[in-house]
Amino acid sequence: MSRLLLVSNRLPVTVKAEKDQVSVVRSAGGLATGLSGPHERSGGLWIGWPGDVSRLSQAQRAKVDAQLAELRCVPLYLSASEVSRFYEGYSNRVLWPLCHYLLDRMPRQDRDWDAYSKVNERFAELAASHYQPGDTIWVHDYQLMLVPGLLRKRLPEARIGFFHHIPFPSSEIFRTLPHREALVRGLLGADLVGFHTSSYVHHFSNTMLQVLGLETEVDHVTHEGRTVRLGAFPMGIDAAAFERLAQEQGTLDEVKVLRERATGQRLLVGVDRLDYTKGIPRRLLAVQRLLEREPSWRGRLRFIQVAVPSRTQVEDYAAYREEVDELVGRINGLYGTIHNVPVHYLYRSLNERQLAALYRGADVMLVTPIRDGMNLVAKEFCASRPDEDGVLLLSEFAGASNELCEATVVNPYDVEGMTDAILKALEMPAAERQRRMRALRERVKAHDVHWWVGRFLDTLQAIPVATQQPETAGAKDVMARLKAAGRRVLLLDYDGTLVGYAARPELASPDPELKSLLARVAALPHTSVHIVSGRAKETLEAWLGELPVGLHGEHGLWSRPKPGGEWKMLEGVSTDWKAQARPLLDSFTARIPGSFVEEKTASLAWHYRQVDAGYGASQARELRLKLIEAFAQGPMEVLTGDKVVEVRPRGAHKGRVVTQVMEALGPGVLVAAFGDDRTDEDLFGAVPEDGISVHAGGRPTRAGYRVSGPDEVRQILASLLKG
Ligand SMILES: Nc1ncnc2c1ncn2[C@@H]1O[C@H](COP(=O)(O)OP(=O)(O)O[C@H]2O[C@H](CO)[C@@H](O)[C@H](O)[C@H]2O)[C@@H](O)[C@H]1O
Ligand SMILES: O=P(O)(O)OC[C@H](O)CO
């Protein structure tokens, strides 16, 4: 097993300071439990913030450091300003509400991005300083979204995983963020990006498409020459530990006390961090409605709601606390008696045994967040019920509802609906409770936290990172080989290779620098230059006709190999099919605003660069299928390029230009082809084995080299002028 470097905002430890005594203990949370085995076995390190230690003396701090070192934890201490701006500010005032679809809770203007970036830099720097070749790095959660990208810059060959513990929202929400691009690029520094559910994966894929124009395959995306795997890895809990605890005598004694205090009553339980995503007010309102609607239940219900203080310095959390306090007061005021109140509200953390007792003693567990990445409480409840009793009421907006389908699933926004569901749960026959709980427990136990860690790490470690090339690995090598060649021919695609893409094809005309560069390179001794493009010959002639270069248009259908020479068309090519195919392309243009058809001598191209990225890509897939269906037997083929679907005569492809040029030049010439989209793969395929093929961009390619884009292609050409 390779050494594991874990990086998370919080370390899995609690620093306890009592009077002069200070100690560090590993926390009991799911992440800490699940990862402690692999962490220890691999002899790795865990990097993170140990929490607020500002009140500790120097000596106490040294003691904390020593104890952390024993646990193989490396502390990253946050200053007061970093806590306020990175943790409370950008992480919890901006990203947290955004990922939970609560745009209204975000500040109108965010002022903490710089602090977020800087602290992410600090984490990356610290992790990189402890990295040893062969280590596996696993970064956790929304506080550290830039870290994978920052690590990739420092450690191009490291194996890096990232897990996002909270929801990844729809792209419609995520792209409201001013820094959306940096965050998405940050995650793409990883080799594997994991989420709790497949819908979060889907949202992330759509976001990449909208924000970076990246089209994703089912489980991966190619970006800057690297493949980044994506996947759903639903997190589990330490089910065996919860089950064990729930069976211990101490816990059963607590359950007994709990039940005795509620004699004649049914027990409803809620356990959450006090967070506005957890849906506590509507849950309370549902309980209130039940008492209002069903007087027979008054005095016969006890709702215990435990809320752990969380992020207390963030205003929205303080306001939320007041809202909950008020609601509890109102319900108890309305339905309490001098002997009893319906809501028992505790604003504090419970120890493990108290928690297990509550789970074990509950008749109905209310887990009703308005949005939650997974929600581990729901799973802990099931694991704590070896008696196969108790009903789980679970929000459909918690990731856990994807797996826990035998729960009573509710819409947490529908108070009346939740009231009905609580009533149904209270009246559910024992046999049905048992059937549901048995199924829930099987799943929670089978897919526990160890299963989760194993699946994520196995997937990450199976990725062949060593073969991945950093963005600019190719350029230097290509320059050296071209310079060393006796005779050389350069075959250059135009759009996306020599110039960037423009909104409309006619806007991508060559700039004076490009023309001058091509002219000077073509004038070098023993050097020929050919432009091999999908463009119409008229465009190439108008833009590049005066240069001393060969021109090849419509993917090699038309050629003018010698400057000033005549254009010749490939023989035996049929264009009769165009009249049949055109109406289909026109029908797509008519209903998809921003798209248009470009007609060339022997081909038709449907462009969709200005169409919404997701819609354009799906419509292009549909058009391609329809064309293939209608003309499968015809003399043409369908190609997908960069934001274009093209129909062209079969056999007229860029690869033919390579053969043509090589025949004219004879043996002993180094052939170097440069291109960026799928039509250039034909060009690369025809380059002889001792030649050079260079892909400009981040797509999968058969090319032997990869550079980042037109700027770098131009740099390679310019380097030839320097002798
Ligand atoms: N009063 C109390 N006393 C003691 N312990 C208490 C407590 N109330 C809650 N806890 C404990 O705190 C943990 C809370 O985990 P959750 O998954 O429910 O939410 P959280 O939002 O913190 O986690 C984030 O990370 C997890 C893991 O990825 C995701 O499930 C979730 O959606 C995401 O928001 C549970 O282990 C629970 O036992
Ligand atoms: O207490 P926090 O702010 O570190 O948040 C804990 C949550 O589990 C974050 O996912």
Side-chain angles (χ1 to χ4, degrees), residues 10 87 92 96 141-142 166 273 311:
R10 272 187 202 276
Y87 169 68
N92 288 320
W96 179 268
D141 227 356
Y142 65 101
I166 65 175
R273 269 189 312 104
R311 306 171 193 166

Side-chain angles (χ1 to χ4, degrees), residues 12-14 24-28 32-33 36 39-40 46 71-73:
V13 295
T14 313
V24 174
V25 285
R26 194 175 280 285
S27 321
T33 315
S36 61
H39 173 57
E40 275 151 29
W46 196 320
L71 293 169
R72 310 192 68 84
C73 288

Side-chain angles (χ1 to χ4, degrees), residues 23 43 52 84 100 118 148 174 231 300 307 315 320 326 359 452 455 459 484 508 545 549 578 593 595 611 664 680:
S23 60
D52 183 12
S84 136
H100 291 87
K118 281 192 193 127
F174 196 85
R300 291 172 52 217
E315 312 72 34
Y320 188 73
E326 240 178 72
Y359 290 149
W452 174 74
R455 257 195 77 218
T459 311
V549 300
K578 270 172 59 186
S595 69
V611 181
D680 300 313

Side-chain angles (χ1 to χ4, degrees), residues 523-543:
L524 289 171
H526 314 301
T527 307
S528 343
V529 177
H530 290 259
I531 307 296
V532 190
S533 165
R535 295 253 179 189
K537 67 182 194 315
E538 290 75 14
T539 311
L540 293 179
E541 188 66 54
W543 285 356

